[in-house]
Amino acid sequence: MKKYLVLLLTAVAVAVSCNNDKEEAVVYPMFWTWLEDLPGVDMEASFKAMHEAGIEGVMLHAVSPEDYKRDIEIARKYGITVYAWLWTLNPPRQDRPQMLETLPHWFDVNREGKSLTEYKAYVSSYKFMCPNLPEVQQNLVDRVTALCQIDGIEGICLDYCRLVDVVLPVSLSYNYKIRQDGEVFPQWDFGYHPSMLKEFMDKYGYDPREKEDPSRDAKWQQFRCDKVTECANLMAETARKYGRVVTASPFATPKVASFMVAQDWGKWDLDIVFPMLYTDFYTQEPGFAYDGTIENNRDKNPKTVLGVGLDTELGGAPENIFEKMDNAFKAGAQAVSLYTIAGLNTPELRAQFKEYSDSLRAVRAANGGKVPYEKVDTVSLDPFTHKGLMAVVERNLQRLAAGEQIHEKSINGMVADDPAKVYPALDLTDYQLVFENERIKKYRVSDKASGKSFDVIFIVYGEVISGWDARLVE
């Protein structure tokens, strides 16, 4: 077995600075997954696979209390803790059609004045409600209350507590034949429900739509974030009345999430958080799990235990999960949730994961209930200091130089790369910075061997490099 970081940690734990001695030890399961009880899903097989991999916790979405009760009985057989995976401002699929028909005024509106009751934002399932409406907030409270009354549910995981994505991860945008490059366009800019606009104008005395670019108006952006935070904290308060643990699965980092979906989740009152550092949606490079966790460890609510959500089935090789976990734990993560257990798709991979998870639990136990890490506060936004990222970028420049496409309509917007395929070597000129703002850096570079030139764009909003794109210059 490869010597993963966890095995090294065992030997050096005493020498590594935790920098968090005042925090209480982690008391939650370390290894989790999300699971949805859908028709055709073999729940017994799913829980058995979790057990084989050493996964101790599941964030479970089921349709009815009866479904939850049946699934909880299976989970108990395998010693797995169950939290309810709650779809919040985007209602669960089973409730959505009736709510759209009977409560159309609950749903959000974009900058063009189009309501999600009729307008399709990227996909038909994006039907987010306005976070400012008292009746929407009461609906959230009622749904949390109902879940907390189900015996065996030990916590609530808040999901879809956000607005529509104002921009997509850059590779994923190819699925929708759009080019955003960090810029916000009115058709995808939501939060303009009349209730939101009225309260904002009453407080600040102007209409954000009068701004040349409302997405760059700090007051308007923070106002929308704060409204989503109100909903998150209201649900957290409700769950705690029933003695339940509260977690959430927000976007990658507080700064990325604030810009993309109005989730300023460092202000949420959570017990544990699993920010979705899905590397195959963002950089296609496992180092993103390290960079994002550095920002998350610094900007999370100090009372919240930091976990990480990592992808096993979103385009990359499932076995990359070990490098992603190494990076996250090295930067301060204390738990991992997988999207999803289906990505551990062979008995051998599950056995390998079990060995990893057992080793890391031993490290935590030997260090007072915390995984030690070396505290780092900032990440370089200079892409050329990120060797792993640049290797991925230049691999794709080779593919473009050879006449291949690197984007297609796929789960992560990328054409799968065959690592065994050999391409002609590049003979690159120096990268020339041709444009930058607070959201992107754009470079031009030429390959003297093929005679082709490329634009390479790095996404830099927040304090991490959270994406890239490479395009032929025609």
Side-chain angles (χ1 to χ4, degrees):
M1 176 181 174
K2 175 185 172 184
K3 287 187 177 179
Y4 300 118
L5 173 71
V6 59
L7 302 180
L8 300 176
L9 278 173
T10 306
V12 301
V14 176
V16 175
S17 173
C18 288
N19 288 288
N20 56 359
D21 295 336
K22 295 181 180 179
E23 296 178 8
E24 294 184 2
V26 178
V27 295
Y28 312 111
M30 286 191 73
F31 292 89
W32 296 74
T33 189
W34 288 276
L35 179 65
E36 191 170 5
D37 187 342
L38 292 171
V41 174
D42 186 333
M43 299 300 287
E44 178 82 30
S46 295
F47 283 113
K48 183 174 183 290
M50 292 179 207
H51 180 70
E52 290 174 356
I55 289 175
E56 316 142 273
V58 63
M59 287 168 273
L60 175 69
H61 181 258
V63 171
S64 69
E66 291 70 28
D67 293 332
Y68 271 112
K69 291 173 184 177
R70 181 186 64 249
D71 294 339
I72 287 167
E73 285 304 308
I74 303 173
R76 282 174 170 164
K77 183 166 65 173
Y78 292 103
I80 294 171
T81 298
V82 177
Y83 285 19
W85 175 14
L86 175 62
W87 297 10
T88 60
L89 288 172
N90 189 22
R93 59 171 58 89
Q94 70 268 16
D95 300 334
R96 203 178 298 141
Q98 183 178 8
M99 293 175 71
L100 287 164
E101 181 179 352
T102 61
L103 303 164
H105 58 289
W106 282 19
F107 290 86
D108 204 4
V109 176
N110 69 10
R111 202 194 314 168
E112 294 180 330
K114 296 176 181 176
S115 169
L116 283 171
T117 54
E118 299 176 351
Y119 182 73
K120 178 181 175 180
Y122 307 118
V123 291
S124 58
S125 60
Y126 268 24
K127 298 298 179 184
F128 290 85
M129 299 182 291
C130 171
N132 195 47
L133 293 174
E135 52 268 47
V136 167
Q137 294 185 0
Q138 186 59 50
N139 175 267
L140 299 176
V141 168
D142 291 344
R143 286 194 282 134
V144 170
T145 299
L147 288 170
C148 289
Q149 292 174 340
I150 298 173
D151 181 53
I153 287 179
E154 298 188 28
I156 303 293
C157 175
L158 309 179
D159 200 6
Y160 291 109
C161 190
R162 62 181 180 88
L163 304 184
V164 170
D165 319 47
V166 295
V167 296
L168 294 169
V170 64
S171 60
L172 196 60
S173 67
Y174 283 84
N175 282 351
Y176 305 97
K177 296 181 172 61
I178 58 178
R179 183 174 293 180
Q180 295 168 315
D181 289 353
E183 291 307 306
V184 175
F185 297 99
Q187 62 267 44
W188 297 296
D189 188 14
F190 279 79
Y192 293 81
H193 190 282
S195 170
M196 295 276 281
L197 289 169
K198 182 180 185 305
E199 183 168 333
F200 180 83
M201 288 187 283
D202 288 346
K203 183 174 183 178
Y204 292 105
Y206 67 93
D207 187 334
R209 295 170 296 183
E210 296 170 353
K211 297 288 185 177
E212 182 178 352
D213 182 357
S215 74
R216 286 182 163 89
D217 184 79
K219 290 186 176 67
W220 175 234
Q221 182 62 12
Q222 190 61 54
F223 178 83
R224 290 185 288 183
C225 287
D226 290 345
K227 289 300 171 183
V228 172
T229 296
E230 283 182 20
C231 291
N233 288 344
L234 181 61
M235 288 185 283
E237 179 184 4
T238 302
R240 288 208 180 86
K241 290 178 181 177
Y242 292 87
R244 301 297 188 264
V245 177
V246 184
T247 186
S249 46
F251 270 37
T253 75
K255 289 184 171 59
V256 168
S258 293
F259 170 61
M260 290 181 73
V261 291
Q263 286 180 324
D264 192 3
W265 57 261
K267 297 178 180 176
W268 294 8
D269 185 15
L270 304 172
D271 297 301
I272 184 169
V273 65
F274 293 97
M276 299 181 292
L277 288 170
Y278 293 166
T279 63
D280 293 318
F281 269 174
Y282 289 94
T283 62
Q284 290 83 53
E285 194 274 316
F288 182 59
Y290 178 76
D291 293 352
T293 302
I294 287 174
E295 181 180 314
N296 293 341
N297 200 27
R298 186 194 66 213
D299 293 349
K300 71 178 181 69
N301 186 324
K303 298 184 296 183
T304 301
V305 172
L306 179 62
V308 61
L310 296 174
D311 49 317
T312 59
E313 53 171 326
L314 296 179
E319 57 268 22
N320 289 345
I321 187 61
F322 299 104
E323 187 176 358
K324 296 173 188 179
M325 290 191 295
D326 283 354
N327 286 327
F329 284 117
K330 180 181 177 182
Q334 298 294 321
V336 167
S337 187
L338 302 184
Y339 189 82
T340 64
I341 186 60
L344 302 183
N345 52 14
T346 67
E348 294 77 16
L349 192 54
R350 291 192 290 275
Q352 197 173 355
F353 197 95
K354 177 71 160 56
E355 183 179 354
Y356 187 104
S357 63
D358 284 347
S359 297
L360 203 40
R361 278 187 285 266
V363 169
R364 184 174 75 168
N367 287 276
K370 301 289 289 186
V371 178
Y373 63 92
E374 189 170 9
K375 188 171 177 60
V376 178
D377 287 325
T378 60
V379 175
S380 172
L381 289 179
D382 177 359
F384 304 104
T385 65
H386 296 262
K387 293 181 180 179
L389 174 63
M390 291 307 301
V392 172
V393 170
E394 294 190 355
R395 170 71 173 181
N396 282 279
L397 293 184
Q398 287 182 308
R399 298 168 73 187
L400 290 172
E404 294 186 4
Q405 295 293 322
I406 63 172
H407 295 294
E408 67 177 355
K409 186 173 177 57
S410 65
I411 193 167
N412 68 346
M414 297 293 291
V415 178
D417 186 13
D418 178 0
K421 191 167 183 178
V422 178
Y423 295 93
L426 298 170
D427 185 9
L428 295 179
T429 62
D430 291 338
Y431 286 78
Q432 299 295 321
L433 182 65
V434 295
F435 177 80
E436 73 173 315
N437 62 21
E438 79 278 20
R439 296 176 183 170
I440 70 168
K441 292 183 178 181
K442 180 179 178 180
Y443 295 85
R444 182 156 292 180
V445 63
S446 297
D447 174 33
K448 290 179 282 187
S450 65
K452 295 181 178 180
S453 296
F454 314 94
D455 283 336
V456 180
I457 294 173
F458 296 98
I459 306 300
V460 296
Y461 45 76
E463 294 184 18
V464 293
I465 298 173
S466 58
W468 61 271
D469 198 18
R471 301 162 186 162
L472 276 170
V473 177
E474 302 295 339

